[in-house]
Amino acid sequence: MNAISIVIGAICILVIAYRLYGYFFTKKVLKINEDEPTPAHKLNDGQDYVPTNKWVAFGHHFAAIAAAGPLVGPILAAQFGYLPGLLWLLIGAVIGGAVHDAVVLFASMRRGGKSLSEVMKEELGPVAGFCTGLAMLFIITITMAGLSMVVLGALERNPWGTFAVAITVPIAMLVGIAYKKTGNLLVTSTIGFILLMIGVFIGPSLQGTWLGDLLTLERQTLALILPIYAFFAAALPVWLLLAPRDYLSSFMKIGVFIALIIGVFIVNPAIQFPAIIPDFLGGGGPVVAGPVWPFVSITIACGAISGFHAFVGSGTTPKMIDKWEDIRVVGFGAMLVECLVGIMALIAATALHPGDYFAINSSPAVFATLGMDTVNLAMLAEQIGMDLEGRTGGAVTLAVGMTYIFTGVQWFSHLSSYFYQFVIMFEAVFILTAIDAGTRVARYLIQDFVGEAYKPLKKTDWLPGNIFASALACFMWGYLLYSGDISSIWALFGVSNQLMASIGLVCGATIILKMADKRIYVLTCMIPLVYLYVTVNVAAYWMVKNVYWNSAAGGYSVLNGILSIVMVILGFIIVVTAVRKWKDLWNSPRFVKGKAIDVM
């Protein structure tokens, strides 16, 4: 098997799915038309609600949903071979992810651009709304820990990478200040990008210096620094750090993604992994502890279907859509493009020799028990200029895999170390951007919940409340980060994230039963919902029994077990409430003179 065959085949499937299933779902199931203006027009305030060109809205939505998940998840799931991850990416994205994103975006727009918790409150009542809001708080907290865990593996004992990432903070702040003062986006962004590249290229000069020694940090030290950084990022004005950093990181994201596609078509690397690795299908793998099912669908969340997308699809994006028809491009289409990102990450991982992959993604002690030998790892470590063994988390594997692909270009060997550190910076900066935004969202959720008991806390412009909520948010996910490992935290993130996707599909099924011309159309949401909900509960049970509450397991954590059980209970309450509503809708007279009544 070679990489080009997978890429071309995947692109054909995704294009056909968009053209046929995307049209059917938006036109026939959701009955999208232009009979009424979108919330962006009806509530246009020039700030949050602004009619936006569909391609600009697509760019915003794609940048927001495609964070570290589609890059890291497929790499970790490569433990089972390339086929399980590839199948789940394609099937999950077409049948589940694209439907989920489109229907959540549609539901929010039908309710004036409200958040998913508010939509659920109006659709299913206050109990479901409260449980959804609480689940969102749990999920965003666990998401921050899961994303941060990836950064630890990339920057541990890597002074070059740590410097390149750290320098982005003052650079982003400089860009933010300069743009606020001058209003010249082109000049400020160009200067910012040049400074980022300088940060990468001066990295080798740090070796052996006092600064290099200072930036050679262990995992636990980084686990303390990241939440402290996030506290200030969440509390600072959005224009000073969050917005310019997001903007600059988008350049790197597009550049790396295009480079990988070009590299695959130029080099056409062979996929060195087998389709299936039988030894780990039943569980016990060094990267993902659980069996291939349910954990391939838990490990690969973003890229196939992701509940995190519901935060965006019921957040900023529904306030920007210019025409109802744009839902197909922005909601359905962006998810399929993210699926392609996940497939490219899977190729980067499986282009490595399995021995090299497992040496990177497991500790040296565990790797020694696998009976495998490395093949190209020593050569890659020499070219890159750092030790690569035991750097778990997925970020290093992606950077090494991409570097290995490009070694097929003769002149590239001289740039291997720079390219590797550029990819590391790209991943870390993009993840930190998501952490900035996610911590701010967690702050808002905390202020909203605790504000019910203490009203001043609901005021987002009240400084003491902002400080308290930001500190609490950082402490919650920082504790999970400090006390966990990638196997346990990423599984916890996957379970919570896919539970959120289940909640989004519950909302979609409710809306379709209310308005679709044919009741059978509810299967578009019900099929992925049933699969995902069962998968989430089986995975949660397996992790609690075998890892979180198993004192002999490496990921033993009573807290993680409690969090898993709480989330499962919240999901159960929401599903039971929804089933009662569905029963009423199914039995209600919805047709007058042969036409279905829209009871939205």
Side-chain angles (χ1 to χ4, degrees), residues 239-366:
W239 61 266
L240 183 58
L241 179 58
L242 180 63
R245 189 170 195 159
D246 191 13
Y247 181 70
L248 289 173
S249 69
S250 65
F251 284 104
M252 290 188 289
K253 182 171 189 175
I254 294 171
V256 170
F257 182 54
I258 291 175
L260 180 55
I261 293 178
I262 292 173
V264 166
F265 275 90
I266 292 176
V267 179
N268 188 21
I271 301 300
Q272 301 198 54
F273 268 54
I276 294 174
I277 300 179
D279 292 347
F280 304 133
L281 292 183
V287 182
V288 179
V292 64
W293 185 84
F295 283 94
V296 71
S297 300
I298 294 298
T299 305
I300 301 178
C302 305
I305 179 170
S306 169
F308 184 72
H309 296 186
F311 288 92
V312 182
S314 65
T316 54
T317 303
K319 302 174 179 64
M320 301 169 62
I321 301 299
D322 182 38
K323 298 178 180 179
W324 291 95
E325 291 281 353
D326 296 348
I327 290 176
R328 183 162 66 252
V329 174
V330 177
F332 204 95
M335 180 65 244
L336 299 184
V337 175
E338 185 179 7
C339 173
L340 183 59
V341 173
I343 290 171
M344 299 307 298
L346 182 66
I347 288 172
T350 55
L352 294 171
H353 188 277
D356 297 339
Y357 167 88
F358 284 107
I360 297 172
N361 284 283
S362 55
S363 67
V366 172

Side-chain angles (χ1 to χ4, degrees), residues 68 188 281 386 424:
T188 54
L281 292 183
M386 62 180 292
I424 289 294

Side-chain angles (χ1 to χ4, degrees), residues 37-217:
T38 64
H41 287 281
K42 289 197 294 186
L43 304 173
N44 189 350
D45 58 7
Q47 296 182 18
D48 296 319
Y49 290 85
V50 180
T52 306
N53 176 276
K54 67 179 178 181
W55 297 115
V56 175
F58 173 91
H60 158 79
H61 187 77
F62 176 72
I65 64 173
L71 301 177
V72 174
I75 287 173
L76 300 180
Q79 169 192 276
F80 303 116
Y82 73 81
L83 188 59
L86 180 62
L87 290 176
W88 169 240
L89 280 164
L90 290 171
I91 297 172
V94 172
I95 296 178
V99 168
H100 169 274
D101 289 12
V103 79
V104 169
L105 179 58
F106 175 79
S108 179
M109 290 175 63
R110 287 289 294 249
R111 296 297 184 185
K114 292 181 179 179
S115 69
L116 183 60
S117 62
E118 291 296 315
V119 173
M120 291 290 280
K121 185 185 297 182
E122 295 188 18
E123 294 293 340
L124 297 175
V127 173
F130 174 82
C131 290
T132 301
L134 190 58
M136 291 173 72
L137 178 58
F138 275 110
I139 290 163
I140 197 67
T141 300
I142 295 167
T143 299
M144 295 304 97
L147 295 179
S148 299
M149 187 66 69
V150 179
V151 178
L152 299 189
L155 301 185
E156 181 185 10
R157 303 187 309 277
N158 180 8
W160 185 354
T162 301
F163 173 78
V165 172
I167 201 69
T168 63
V169 176
I171 291 174
M173 296 176 72
L174 177 64
V175 170
I177 294 171
Y179 177 65
K180 192 173 181 65
K181 294 289 186 181
T182 66
N184 192 322
L185 182 62
L186 177 62
V187 172
T188 54
S189 58
T190 301
I191 293 174
F193 184 74
I194 292 173
L195 291 175
L196 288 177
M197 294 301 96
I198 292 174
V200 173
F201 278 92
I202 67 176
S205 63
L206 298 176
Q207 301 290 343
T209 67
W210 67 270
L211 183 57
D213 294 339
L214 182 66
L215 295 176
T216 303
L217 303 174

